[in-house]
Amino acid sequence: MKNGLYIVATPIGNLADISARAKEVLAEADAIACEDTRVTRKLFSLLGLSAAKPFITCQDHNEEQQAQSLIDLVKEGKTLALVSDAGSPLISDPGYKLIRRCREQGVKVWTVPGCCAVISALQLSGLPTNRFMFAGFIPNKDKARSDLFNELKNINTTLVFYETAPRIVKTLTAAAGVFGNREIAVAREITKLYEECVNGTAEELIAHFEENPPKGEMVLMVAPPEEIDREKIDTDALLREKLGLMPLKTAVKEVVEQTGLNKNDVYAQALKIKNENL
Ligand code: SAM
């Protein structure tokens, strides 16, 4: 095996999803960098691999400190494998800072790809996969969660988030307020016995999960916004209606949000209508 640091994906539920190459690299590596040594030792035991080598923790809170000593091992000629508790390292898991430093110092990095919950969830969802944006874990605090949803709601891609079962109803309630009737898919227990992917509006999914309290890990996906045919929007009529109900600035803001049209253009048109009526 060539010298360097190997990024090794591990299963996210079904042990048989480990690749032959991942098994080979884990067996031959001189040391293993992992989040939780107990979890990775258990994986070695389930895979029938010898765990007679150093298992070194590399977690979010100590990655910065650990990075250099891990890199020094590779510089000494050792091969190192980086794994997460499950799935692909670096994807909402530690490793980014370590890999960045490896590259800065000319240390060879290899990837041994495999399971990744983002990709498997998208495949199950039936939502468009030509463009998607993975936005990591959904914040637990109400304001941060709704700020994130509002920031992303007009982006023309399928949105993908990591979430956990105990928070899903609260998250869907916030999603209902921001994404309205857009289709949402929740994939859970991927590659496990009770793998499922349920689709519906946020309201429909809240009803589903209140009736069937979910367990386990999940991925939440939101369909892209409906394409707006800007040619067909009657901005004039929309502005006249809103100007009758609210101040000019608010009317402009709402029309821009609703149509995605240029703010300065909408503002100029609103001023023109207002001046006509003076
Ligand atoms: N790096 C891992 C990956 O990309 O596969 C993900 C690690 S992240 C700390 C854990 C999150 O991934 C979970 O909270 C869940 O959102 C998602 N996840 C992991 N395994 C899953 C599974 N079997 N089914 C559904 N979601 C899963």
Side-chain angles (χ1 to χ4, degrees):
M1 197 162 78
K2 286 183 185 154
N3 172 259
L5 188 150
Y6 288 76
I7 304 165
V8 182
T10 55
I12 57 171
N14 188 328
L15 189 66
D17 289 334
I18 190 86
S19 73
R21 186 164 163 241
K23 227 172 142 176
E24 190 186 314
V25 170
L26 293 178
E28 288 187 25
D30 295 307
I32 309 293
C34 56
E35 290 183 88
D36 183 335
T37 54
R38 287 163 304 179
V39 172
T40 305
R41 279 182 189 279
K42 188 170 169 206
L43 176 71
F44 268 62
S45 147
L46 291 169
L47 293 172
L49 299 174
S50 160
K53 57 178 89 187
F55 283 65
I56 306 162
T57 57
C58 179
Q59 299 164 335
D60 281 333
H61 70 91
N62 74 355
E63 186 180 344
E64 202 85 64
Q65 296 94 295
Q66 290 287 66
Q68 198 54 49
S69 44
L70 293 170
I71 289 171
D72 290 344
L73 280 179
V74 183
K75 284 184 175 168
E76 283 164 21
K78 303 270 195 294
T79 54
L80 193 68
L82 170 71
V83 295
S84 293
D85 282 352
S88 290
L90 283 86
I91 309 302
S92 287
D93 269 336
Y96 153 73
K97 292 175 199 144
L98 172 61
I99 301 306
R100 188 160 181 83
R101 282 218 204 163
C102 283
R103 295 182 54 102
E104 281 164 3
Q105 297 179 34
V107 167
K108 186 69 198 159
V109 177
W110 309 95
T111 181
V112 184
C115 293
C116 179
V118 181
I119 301 301
S120 299
L122 271 168
Q123 289 165 332
L124 290 172
S125 72
L127 298 182
T129 51
N130 55 331
R131 275 157 67 107
F132 66 87
M133 179 178 170
F134 173 56
F137 274 102
I138 297 171
N140 197 15
K141 295 230 163 75
D142 293 348
K143 183 169 180 323
R145 186 195 295 117
S146 76
D147 284 352
L148 177 67
F149 285 169
N150 276 305
E151 182 191 333
L152 303 179
K153 74 175 178 193
N154 291 323
I155 301 177
N156 187 23
T157 69
T158 297
L159 301 173
V160 187
F161 303 93
Y162 280 163
E163 187 49 289
T164 55
R167 288 159 33 167
I168 191 69
V169 169
K170 218 171 166 194
T171 294
L172 286 168
T173 308
V178 177
F179 299 113
N181 283 333
R182 265 159 76 174
E183 185 179 352
I184 291 183
V186 175
R188 55 177 214 98
E189 302 277 85
I190 300 169
T191 74
K192 300 184 191 176
L193 191 58
Y194 296 105
E195 173 181 290
E196 69 167 358
C197 182
V198 281
N199 290 40
T201 64
E203 296 290 356
E204 286 166 350
L205 293 180
I206 291 168
H208 171 82
F209 287 125
E210 278 176 347
E211 218 167 281
N212 313 282
K215 283 198 189 131
E217 300 182 290
M218 39 181 57
V219 182
L220 183 143
M221 292 153 284
V222 183
E226 293 269 320
E227 276 282 323
I228 297 173
D229 188 347
R230 292 191 173 83
E231 304 263 299
K232 286 198 186 136
I233 299 170
D234 189 346
T235 325
D236 193 72
L238 207 56
L239 271 173
R240 282 179 197 279
E241 183 195 321
K242 291 198 186 283
L243 285 169
L245 300 171
M246 58 191 78
L248 183 132
K249 268 193 175 170
T250 319
V252 170
K253 185 170 175 271
E254 287 200 3
V255 172
V256 168
E257 274 176 9
Q258 218 169 313
T259 62
L261 290 168
N262 178 284
K263 191 176 165 192
N264 290 338
D265 294 346
V266 177
Y267 191 79
Q269 200 172 345
L271 267 185
K272 204 170 144 211
I273 297 171
K274 195 131 202 206
N275 289 336
E276 268 173 24
N277 296 329
L278 282 178

